[in-house]
Amino acid sequence: MSTKLITKEGHEALKKELDYLWREKRPDTTRKVTWAASLGDRSENADYQYNKKLLREIDRRVRYLRKRLEDMRVVEYMPEQEGKVFFGAWVDIENEQGETKRFRIVGYDEIYERMDYISIDSPMARALLRKEVDDEAIVQTPSGEMCWWITGIEYIR
């Protein structure tokens, strides 16, 4: 299971998604299911079957979000973090080949649809935690160890 940490921005985004699903998407889909059911034979009614399936998916996501938001711990920036890599940090790294990367270390629920976020549970994030600028981080990958140097650390305040 993933670490139950989340940034303030991530928590707000999940609450916004839950609100949208519960107050807009679900009622709209329920109306469509009711309308399609009124047309008669449900076994051959594609509108009914599709929207019924969509309603189940919405309900599953709503249950997940409610439980997840209840269990989450929001981690906000603290001045003591400055200069070291901790949860919520934007980190710039570089390897021996000169390849550079920039990403933010966040909770599991925040990484989707974002190419510049990595999970706190990832091997890269674990290798970088508590390191400072110019420190070396050895990351275990399926193809072996990779060495990265931290070139920058930044926090959103």
Side-chain angles (χ1 to χ4, degrees):
M1 192 64 185
S2 63
T3 304
K4 295 179 180 179
L5 301 177
I6 193 165
T7 62
K8 184 178 177 181
E9 299 87 6
H11 192 261
E12 291 301 318
L14 290 183
K15 283 186 354 187
K16 187 176 177 182
E17 179 187 358
L18 176 60
D19 189 55
Y20 166 74
L21 288 173
W22 188 249
R23 295 181 189 276
E24 294 179 37
K25 183 91 173 174
R26 191 177 193 287
D28 182 53
T29 305
T30 303
R31 277 191 294 279
K32 289 177 183 175
V33 167
T34 303
W35 169 79
S38 72
L39 298 177
D41 188 7
R42 295 176 187 171
S43 64
E44 294 182 15
N45 186 332
D47 281 331
Y48 176 81
Q49 291 176 359
Y50 171 78
N51 286 298
K52 192 72 173 165
K53 180 179 182 237
L54 184 59
L55 190 58
R56 284 192 302 271
E57 291 170 4
I58 292 168
D59 287 344
R60 186 175 357 206
R61 182 69 178 164
V62 164
R63 279 191 307 275
Y64 174 80
L65 288 172
R66 282 186 175 159
K67 177 146 180 49
R68 194 72 175 155
L69 284 168
E70 185 179 293
D71 293 342
M72 292 292 214
R73 191 176 110 220
V74 177
V75 178
E76 295 191 43
Y77 169 78
M78 294 185 311
E80 299 85 41
Q81 295 174 310
E82 203 60 47
K84 291 195 176 198
V85 178
F86 289 104
F87 186 84
W90 280 97
V91 184
D92 298 305
I93 58 174
E94 185 174 353
N95 65 12
E96 294 168 342
Q97 292 78 30
E99 180 184 357
T100 62
K101 295 184 182 285
R102 178 178 170 82
F103 48 78
R104 186 173 188 202
I105 299 174
V106 296
Y108 169 79
D109 294 287
E110 299 177 78
I111 62 174
Y112 299 100
E113 299 177 12
R114 292 293 304 252
M115 296 304 292
D116 57 346
Y117 279 13
I118 64 170
S119 170
I120 185 74
D121 299 314
S122 70
M124 176 68 83
R126 294 291 180 190
L128 292 171
L129 286 177
R130 295 183 185 83
K131 302 269 196 251
E132 299 177 23
V133 172
D134 295 329
D135 281 356
E136 180 180 287
I138 306 296
V139 182
Q140 296 294 330
T141 67
S143 59
E145 289 183 346
M146 288 202 65
C147 183
W148 295 88
W149 286 273
I150 300 172
T151 59
I153 303 167
E154 184 182 339
Y155 286 94
I156 295 174
R157 291 176 182 83

